[in-house]
Amino acid sequence: MAMVLGVDAGGTSTRAAVLSLEGEVVGRGLAGCGNPMAAGARVAFGNLRTAVEQALGAADRSLIKRGVVGLAGSGLLREPSAMAAFTAVFSDLPVVPRAAGDVVVTFAAGTPAADGTVLVSGTGAIAAKIIDRAQGRLADGYGWLLGDEGSGFWLGRAAARVTVRELNAGTPGLLTRLVTEHLLPSSPPFVHHPPGDSTAPALSHLPPGDSAGAADRDATGLGRVDQVGELVDRIAATVQSRPPLALAELAPLVSRAAADGDPAALSIVEAAATRLARTASEVREPLDRSPLVLAGSVLTSGGPVQQSVRELLGRRWAAAPITVAKDGAGAAAWLAALDLLGPSRAAALHSRFVG
């Protein structure tokens, strides 16, 4: 049985899949960061090897006919030493998989079409024009310091900013509560009171055993002003002590709060969607009818951000199909099988590879 190997090697994880030419899964593997630009070639390609070995398992390696690796940071392979390290990963296979840009594989995870646009919002954010299954013009993808607008990091940073400002102003909403409890899990929880409850503050956050009376509270009932200041300082210190990209952990809280109608969260969602739509427009012509693929955890997990982005893109490109990317490793395997299957057969089997 002829088989193909597909690998989706990203900045967070590396996923590998071995499939038959009919799209039947033979094995899968999972390892850590596969981006050589982020982790270094030794670590990234070590993770690549681990994922591939897991996927191959006890399969007959001689049956691997083609392979594709969607590699974030694939530009590093222009260096001979990096290319040699990449090739060594597959020394016991009859073929060395072809390295493709990660956005090419991500696009293929959403459509069998050869041309279109992929919009990615995960920890970072980027848009790419895909032409004949090759990477064309790019927009954003500049990293958290210079861009990644509308990304998980961007959402998380916006949520953290709202939190410290609402606490200082004495106007904490649901998003602020969620962020505070996430960042300071050992703190006493906020106590929520129904809207319109005149017998208690909207939210309180007093240390256990605090018997302070109403006179010791600030105007909002959050607690004494010095306690609020301490809480804000602890949140700021926690954020500053962690890697910047860890803020992306807060992105799901924005979606959760927005789904419950929190005004601050809704505002963040609207701003993120506007930025992501603008990024897509930088690589896509106004009358383009080719597919639009949404990818990355922010846009594949459903929820308010995906919905808002879909609405904005749908208004600008009403005639274009908008799909959501599925399995990247399966998409890489599908690209590997494309030449063996031919365009028509490959298109018919696409959903089996990526589903």
Side-chain angles (χ1 to χ4, degrees):
M1 178 180 65
M3 298 183 297
V4 288
L5 170 67
V7 183
D8 182 15
T12 302
S13 63
T14 300
R15 300 176 184 273
V18 175
L19 291 89
S20 74
L21 291 182
E22 296 299 311
E24 298 169 352
V25 177
V26 176
R28 292 189 179 275
L30 174 65
C33 173
N35 183 344
M37 299 289 283
R42 183 182 63 82
V43 172
F45 294 153
N47 287 329
L48 180 58
R49 179 68 183 179
T50 298
V52 168
E53 283 295 313
Q54 289 179 8
L56 287 167
D60 184 349
R61 284 154 167 74
S62 69
L63 297 177
I64 300 292
K65 302 303 181 184
R66 294 280 195 283
V68 166
V69 177
L71 188 66
S74 58
L76 188 67
L77 297 184
R78 297 189 188 98
E79 298 180 10
S81 60
M83 187 63 189
F86 175 80
T87 302
V89 171
F90 310 101
S91 58
D92 60 346
L93 296 183
V95 295
V96 175
R98 171 173 61 89
D102 56 330
V103 293
V104 174
V105 170
T106 300
F107 178 74
T111 177
D115 307 298
T117 307
V118 58
L119 176 62
V120 184
S121 176
T123 301
I126 192 170
K129 181 67 177 175
I130 305 299
I131 303 170
D132 196 19
R133 299 193 177 90
Q135 177 183 302
R137 192 162 70 251
L138 298 175
D140 206 345
Y142 304 133
W144 64 272
L145 272 174
L146 302 179
D148 286 348
E149 297 193 1
S151 67
F153 165 80
W154 189 95
L155 288 159
R157 182 177 60 182
R161 285 176 167 174
V162 161
T163 295
V164 295
R165 284 161 175 75
E166 285 193 348
L167 287 173
N168 266 326
T171 57
L174 175 60
L175 178 59
T176 291
R177 176 172 68 83
L178 294 174
V179 169
T180 301
E181 292 176 352
H182 178 88
L183 293 175
L184 304 176
S186 61
S187 294
F190 279 109
V191 178
H192 181 68
H193 299 277
D197 185 349
S198 61
T199 65
L203 291 171
S204 61
H205 197 291
L206 293 173
D210 191 327
S211 58
D216 293 321
R217 298 178 185 268
D218 71 358
T220 65
L222 264 174
R224 292 193 302 266
V225 173
D226 59 337
Q227 293 171 344
V228 174
E230 179 184 352
L231 184 63
V232 171
D233 288 346
R234 289 178 62 198
I235 290 172
T238 298
V239 170
Q240 299 288 348
S241 68
R242 304 169 74 201
L245 292 179
L247 281 170
E249 296 174 3
L250 305 180
L253 304 183
V254 177
S255 293
R256 179 177 164 188
D260 282 345
D262 180 81
L266 289 168
S267 179
I268 292 171
V269 166
E270 181 181 359
T274 299
R275 284 163 168 77
L276 288 168
R278 183 177 62 207
T279 297
S281 70
E282 292 178 22
V283 301
R284 188 175 174 88
E285 298 299 326
L287 299 180
D288 195 339
R289 296 189 175 190
S290 63
L292 271 156
V293 174
L294 306 182
S297 58
V298 173
L299 295 179
T300 60
S301 57
V305 179
Q306 186 201 85
Q307 180 180 348
S308 295
V309 169
R310 274 185 174 273
E311 290 174 357
L312 289 175
L313 298 181
R315 288 184 212 143
R316 296 190 187 188
W317 295 284
I322 301 175
T323 62
V324 175
K326 295 181 180 177
D327 178 32
W334 180 81
L335 289 170
L338 189 58
D339 290 340
L340 300 173
L341 293 170
S344 297
R345 182 62 177 156
L349 291 172
H350 179 263
S351 61
R352 297 192 63 180
F353 277 82
V354 305

